Amino acid sequence: FIFILNSENNRNYPCAEVLPDYENIGYLSAKHLLDCGYKKIVFLTESEFRHTRSETQRLQGIESALKTADHRLEKIIDISRHNPEEGDKQLKTEINQLGSETGIICLYDYLAVGVYDAADNNGLSVPDDIGVVGCHNTPWAKQLHPTLTSLSIHEARIASEVCRQIQDKVPGKILIPPQLIPRNSTRTV
C-alpha cells in the first residue's frame, strides 16, 4: 500500500516524508534580516500553527542564526485567524511598540499583508523602518508594494520527489532546501 499524509503528525506511520527544510527557512530568514542590519528580530505566527513541526523547526533555525550573530529573538507575535479584527488590532499595537529597525519573519506570506497595514497605520515604512520576510514565495508576493522578500519552498520539487518515491516504492525522508528571494520589503539599514 502507498499512502500520502498531508499532516505534520505522521511520525507513527512508516511512510515517505518530503518536506521543506523548515529549520533552514528560519535560519535564512533571520540571517537575511541581520545581514540587512535590522536590530530587533520578531517572529509572527498564528495560534493555529503554534507548536507544529514546521513552526518549531523554523524557530530553531531563527534561534540558531541569532545565536551565531550574538542576538536574541525580540518577540514572538501570535495572532488568531479566527478573529481577524482582533488580530489586526493586536498586530498594530505590537508593531507600534517595536518601532523602527525591526525585522519581522512571517510564518507565511499572507501574514505580511497585515504587517504592511500595521506599519502604515503606525507611520512606519516597509522596508525603511521594518523589514519583512515571508515564506512560500506566493505569486502575489511580487504584486505587493513593496514587493515581498520571501523564501521559496519549491512546491513543484516536493511534488516531484513524492511522485518519485511512489513510483520507486522506496520511502525515505527528504528535506528540500529553501531559496531566499530578496525583494523590496528588506534593505540595508
Side-chain angles (χ1 to χ4, degrees), residues 16-186:
E17 287 187 297
V18 182
L19 302 167
D21 185 345
Y22 296 119
E23 189 169 342
N24 201 15
I25 290 168
Y27 184 88
L28 291 174
S29 299
K31 183 175 182 330
H32 176 70
L33 290 168
L34 291 169
D35 289 347
C36 287
Y38 294 100
K39 305 288 185 226
K40 297 176 269 188
I41 306 298
V42 173
F43 181 58
L44 176 60
T45 187
E46 285 188 327
S47 308
E48 294 78 6
F49 291 97
R50 290 296 290 161
H51 311 293
T52 59
R53 178 173 29 177
S54 63
E55 190 210 50
T56 301
Q57 289 176 353
R58 206 169 306 187
L59 276 168
Q60 290 169 347
I62 292 168
E63 294 284 359
S64 176
L66 294 173
K67 185 177 180 181
T68 301
D70 200 28
H71 271 69
R72 65 177 178 78
L73 185 63
E74 185 75 23
K75 181 175 240 180
I76 296 174
I77 301 174
D78 181 2
I79 61 173
S80 172
R81 112 171 80 158
H82 294 300
N83 187 343
E85 295 81 20
E86 189 60 36
D88 288 345
K89 182 179 174 184
Q90 177 191 357
L91 191 54
K92 288 173 187 169
T93 300
E94 297 276 4
I95 286 179
N96 185 48
Q97 292 171 354
L98 290 166
S100 64
E101 295 189 343
T102 299
I104 299 179
I105 301 168
C106 298
L107 183 66
Y108 52 88
D109 287 349
Y110 180 72
L111 290 175
V113 175
V115 173
Y116 281 34
D117 184 52
D120 186 54
N121 280 306
N122 284 298
L124 298 169
S125 166
V126 175
D128 297 329
D129 299 309
I130 294 177
V132 184
V133 175
C135 184
H136 290 279
N137 193 37
T138 53
W140 53 265
K142 294 181 275 190
Q143 306 303 318
L144 290 175
H145 183 73
T147 56
L148 179 63
T149 297
S150 188
L151 279 103
S152 172
I153 62 169
H154 302 291
E155 290 95 341
R157 182 164 173 215
I158 290 171
S160 175
E161 286 294 332
V162 167
C163 291
R164 186 188 60 75
Q165 286 195 13
I166 290 170
Q167 181 180 2
D168 296 348
K169 298 181 185 173
V170 182
K173 181 174 182 178
I174 298 174
L175 295 178
I176 304 297
Q179 178 185 0
L180 179 70
I181 311 292
R183 294 195 183 97
N184 296 326
S185 65
T186 56

